[in-house]
Amino acid sequence: MEMLIRILKKVMTALAIVMSLYHLYTAAFGLPEALLHRAIHLVFTLCLIFLLSIIRRPADQKGKMVWDAVLILLVLASIGHLFINYEYVVTRYAYIHPLSFWDYWLGVVFTLILLEASRRSIGWALPITSGAFLLYGIFGHLLPDMIRHTGFTIETIVDQLYLTTEGIFGIPAGVSATYVILFVIFGAFLEQSGTGQFFMDFATSLVGGARGGPGKISCVSSSLFGTISGSAVANVMVDGWLTIPLMKRTGFKHDFAAAVEATASTGGQIMPPVMGAAAFVISEFTGISYISICKHALIPALLYYLALFMAIHFEATKTGLFGIPKEERPNLKDVLLAKGQLLTPLAVIIYLMLTGYTPMFACIYAILSVLLVALFRADTRMGLKKILKSLEQGARNMLPVAAACACAGIVVGIINLTGLGLKFTGLILYLAGNSLAPALVFTMFAGIVLGMGLPTTAAYIVQAALLIPALIKLGVPVIGAHLFVFYFAIISAITPPVAMAVYAAAGISGSNLWRTGVAALKIGATGFIVPYMFVYGPSLLMIGDPLKVVLSIITASVGVIALSAGLVGWFFRKAYFFERIGLFAASLLLIKPGLTSDAVGFLVLAGIFLYEKFRRSAAPA
């Protein structure tokens, strides 16, 4: 048995490397037709998931290996059927040509296998959601008028999901197979080249000596690494083992230290230039170029991190904390001279996308630049072993994302087939009374609830089909509606009771889950406020008159600083309750674009400042 497991591990390593090489090759030399490419992508994904299950099974469950092997064979049979009969599949008329015996049963089996693979890689939430939509497709004709449809047979549903590019092999799987995997591989190459450690050293040398330096290190390093990793939990696990103990050692409370790392890691998914996997799906759904989406998302992301940075600063000042001693932190000049070249791949990817090249092209050249710049130093140089490790790790990191995208395709396929999107739009408009504010609140809660159980990409895809059309119909700009939903799918990672980034950080810190969750909500409050502000004031998305955009950025920056001061309870000294209320009110007025609100916000802030100054002058020496 041990010999078999060793062989399977080698098989899995080889398969993962081949998966990465296949996607790099097709990105460089041209993609096959959509259905073929997405099917190949899912063959690799599902076989690797079940192989991993075999390898990880405990000794008392080795008998279930046979079941895993059968699932792998069924995956190969289901996709093989599409390859062998490809001409028939792409030329037939969907919903008109009846399905053959093999079409029907292999379609049913493949759908069930995908649900099981998703359960194994990301948990129960998404398979249950997809299963609920499948039941809706079958039994929806029995439901009330508002969401009833005419009724569809299992044959029609299998046709939609298995034999077209409107279901399992739809846009989410296409984005996963075309763009996302390349950036995941890129991230694996960066990690193997030591770029993650460079980000940490860079942040330590840059802000480590300031008040609350370890917390600010977490803020800076997590924003840099998080934009590449695309996962809040992964970011916590990479950065948290160093930053959380460092924060605790310099005096931060356990729960606050964990909350800082969780909040900083969560924001990585909204930080350009990569923004995790969902940014590519936004581009595909909206038709807006990826680099334009990065431009629109930049200011809200910077406001999020500015608020977190200042919350750390105010907390450190309030509790009398200092930074890391000079002798314990690296010199910025030395760090940049030693490993500054590792920033080149990020510069390459940004430059190429700004000059109009596709994300695929930019990513290929960025990966090549990683190999090139890593040659400059022995400790970053990547030999064949590290290159193969990067290819393997890239494919393995891709498994939960690819499974989530394909499983979300079931939801999208059922929504398109039944017209549920239009029905849901009507329901939201009816419940909101055709008013934008209630519709935004409904969407926010839906995003947080879905995001608690689903990966960010899957949570966004479900809402993109159900909720975004209602916001657009109420006058929200397309990019504003999509980013609004995207933000709340992400912010669910720090929203109790199911806050995965908080769980990961609290595990490292040894802190109480609820206290850590409340602290994360407090210092991450900007993530709940800014989406409303850019919906009502698109200038925060860099839309509109340049002067108005600049003024909005300045006032919003002052606003998020006021918000952090009010939430922490420290301005120039400990703030009274009414001062905190005033700071909170001033922050909302300043974050919201508009001359009148800005003027009132500055007046409120000036009043608090003068009161603080009077308190200082009146206090005894």
Side-chain angles (χ1 to χ4, degrees):
M1 184 62 72
E2 290 182 6
M3 176 67 74
L4 176 61
I5 295 299
R6 283 200 297 270
I7 293 172
L8 289 177
K9 285 181 178 179
K10 291 180 179 179
V11 170
M12 181 170 179
T13 297
L15 190 61
I17 292 170
V18 171
M19 178 181 180
S20 292
L21 288 174
Y22 165 76
H23 284 90
L24 291 172
Y25 177 83
T26 54
F29 298 104
L31 299 172
E33 293 184 32
L35 182 61
L36 284 176
H37 184 56
R38 296 168 190 180
I40 292 170
H41 178 65
L42 286 183
V43 162
F44 280 120
T45 298
L46 298 180
C47 288
L48 283 170
I49 287 172
F50 293 124
L51 268 175
L52 192 60
S53 293
I54 293 175
I55 292 167
R56 289 178 173 175
R57 284 202 181 279
D60 60 342
Q61 293 185 10
K62 293 303 180 185
K64 295 183 179 179
M65 288 170 51
V66 176
W67 171 239
D68 295 324
V70 169
L71 291 177
I72 292 173
L73 292 175
L74 289 174
V75 169
L76 295 174
S78 302
I79 299 296
H81 176 71
L82 297 179
F83 289 169
I84 294 169
N85 301 286
Y86 182 71
E87 191 68 27
Y88 154 75
V89 171
V90 297
T91 56
R92 64 186 291 279
Y93 288 100
Y95 322 123
I96 295 176
H97 280 144
L99 302 187
S100 69
F101 173 85
W102 292 111
D103 292 338
Y104 182 88
W105 284 109
L106 287 176
V108 170
V109 167
F110 185 71
T111 303
L112 295 176
I113 288 174
L114 176 59
L115 294 174
E116 171 62 11
S118 299
R119 183 193 68 80
R120 294 192 188 192
S121 57
I122 57 177
W124 280 100
L126 184 55
I128 289 174
T129 302
S130 299
F133 275 87
L134 286 171
L135 292 175
Y136 172 74
I138 299 170
F139 301 109
H141 61 287
L142 304 175
L143 297 175
D145 288 343
M146 184 67 76
I147 55 174
R148 181 186 301 165
H149 58 72
T150 55
F152 298 96
T153 63
I154 295 177
E155 182 177 4
T156 303
I157 292 172
V158 169
D159 198 339
Q160 170 85 350
L161 299 182
Y162 177 60
L163 295 174
T164 73
T165 53
E166 301 295 325
I168 292 170
F169 304 104
I171 287 176
V175 174
S176 171
T178 307
Y179 303 116
V180 178
I181 187 167
L182 295 179
F183 281 85
V184 172
I185 295 171
F186 173 54
F189 271 88
L190 286 178
E191 186 176 344
Q192 288 295 318
S193 69
T195 303
Q197 184 60 49
F198 164 68
F199 286 159
M200 185 66 69
D201 292 341
F202 175 74
T204 304
S205 61
L206 188 67
V207 297
R211 275 189 178 275
K216 293 173 181 177
I217 292 170
S218 173
C219 182
V220 175
S221 64
S222 294
S223 68
L224 292 171
F225 184 77
T227 186
I228 297 166
S229 74
S231 167
V233 175
N235 202 357
V236 169
M237 300 311 292
V238 170
D239 272 11
W241 290 109
L242 177 62
T243 59
I244 292 174
L246 198 57
M247 281 187 271
K248 288 163 59 178
R249 183 162 63 86
T250 52
F252 282 103
K253 295 177 182 176
H254 289 38
D255 52 347
F256 188 85
V260 166
E261 180 57 47
T263 307
S265 296
T266 298
Q269 294 178 84
I270 59 176
M271 176 60 77
V274 180
M275 296 174 62
F280 299 101
V281 188
I282 295 175
S283 178
E284 198 72 23
F285 279 165
T286 61
I288 300 171
S289 70
Y290 174 74
I291 199 65
S292 295
I293 290 171
C294 289
K295 180 193 77 173
H296 294 310
L298 179 60
I299 299 307
L302 291 177
L303 292 175
Y304 178 92
Y305 276 106
L306 175 61
L308 174 60
F309 190 91
M310 295 308 299
I312 296 165
H313 178 78
F314 289 134
E315 179 70 19
T317 307
K318 178 182 175 181
T319 51
L321 304 182
F322 294 93
I324 301 172
K326 186 175 182 180
E327 60 274 11
E328 294 184 23
R329 63 179 191 270
N331 179 271
L332 179 59
K333 182 180 178 182
D334 293 340
V335 170
L336 290 175
L337 286 175
K339 295 186 178 180
Q341 73 275 7
L342 295 177
L343 289 173
T344 304
L346 291 178
V348 167
I349 210 166
I350 293 170
Y351 171 77
L352 289 176
M353 289 197 291
L354 283 174
T355 51
Y357 290 98
T358 65
M360 289 189 299
F361 183 90
C363 197
I364 290 290
Y365 275 86
I367 291 172
L368 291 175
S369 71
V370 173
L371 298 175
L372 182 61
V373 300
L375 292 173
F376 291 127
R377 288 182 60 88
D379 57 341
T380 61
R381 199 168 295 145
M382 297 182 68
L384 179 61
K385 185 176 180 180
K386 280 192 173 182
I387 291 173
L388 293 177
K389 183 66 177 177
S390 300
L391 293 170
E392 179 192 356
Q393 198 61 45
R396 292 182 66 155
N397 291 346
M398 188 63 203
L399 299 182
V401 179
C405 286
C407 201
I410 295 175
V411 176
V412 174
I414 296 295
I415 290 171
N416 291 338
L417 181 66
T418 61
L420 180 62
L422 292 174
K423 294 179 177 70
F424 212 80
T425 297
L427 179 62
I428 290 294
L429 293 175
Y430 171 76
L431 293 174
N434 285 305
S435 176
L436 179 57
L440 291 174
V441 173
F442 289 146
T443 304
M444 177 187 74
F445 280 112
I448 290 173
V449 171
L450 285 171
M452 284 178 182
L454 305 182
T456 300
T457 305
Y460 162 75
I461 290 169
V462 172
Q463 293 176 90
L466 290 176
L467 300 173
I468 288 177
L471 298 183
I472 294 173
K473 197 165 184 178
L474 288 170
V476 179
V478 172
I479 185 61
H482 282 267
L483 285 178
F484 184 89
V485 164
F486 184 41
Y487 262 66
F488 285 109
I490 290 169
I491 212 73
S492 61
I494 57 169
T495 307
V498 185
M500 298 309 297
V502 169
Y503 289 176
I508 297 172
S509 176
S511 58
N512 178 271
L513 284 176
W514 277 103
R515 286 199 299 269
T516 303
V518 170
L521 282 178
K522 184 186 293 185
I523 60 179
T526 304
F528 291 87
I529 296 171
V530 168
Y532 285 90
M533 299 312 181
F534 66 59
V535 164
Y536 285 103
S539 55
L540 287 177
L541 299 176
M542 294 194 194
I543 297 174
D545 178 65
L547 178 60
K548 188 176 181 181
V549 169
V550 171
L551 290 174
S552 296
I553 293 171
I554 293 171
T555 57
S557 298
V558 176
V560 297
I561 293 171
L563 176 63
S564 298
L567 291 171
V568 173
W570 184 274
F571 197 32
F572 291 100
R573 61 193 302 163
K574 186 174 181 180
Y576 293 138
F577 179 75
F578 73 88
E579 291 178 282
R580 298 178 71 170
I581 297 296
L583 288 166
F584 185 71
S587 71
L588 295 180
L589 291 166
L590 289 164
I591 295 172
K592 179 187 178 299
L595 290 176
T596 303
S597 59
D598 290 343
V600 176
F602 273 118
L603 284 173
V604 173
L605 202 57
I608 296 172
F609 172 77
L610 291 173
Y611 179 75
E612 283 286 332
K613 189 174 180 181
F614 171 77
R615 281 178 64 196
R616 288 200 306 275
S617 62

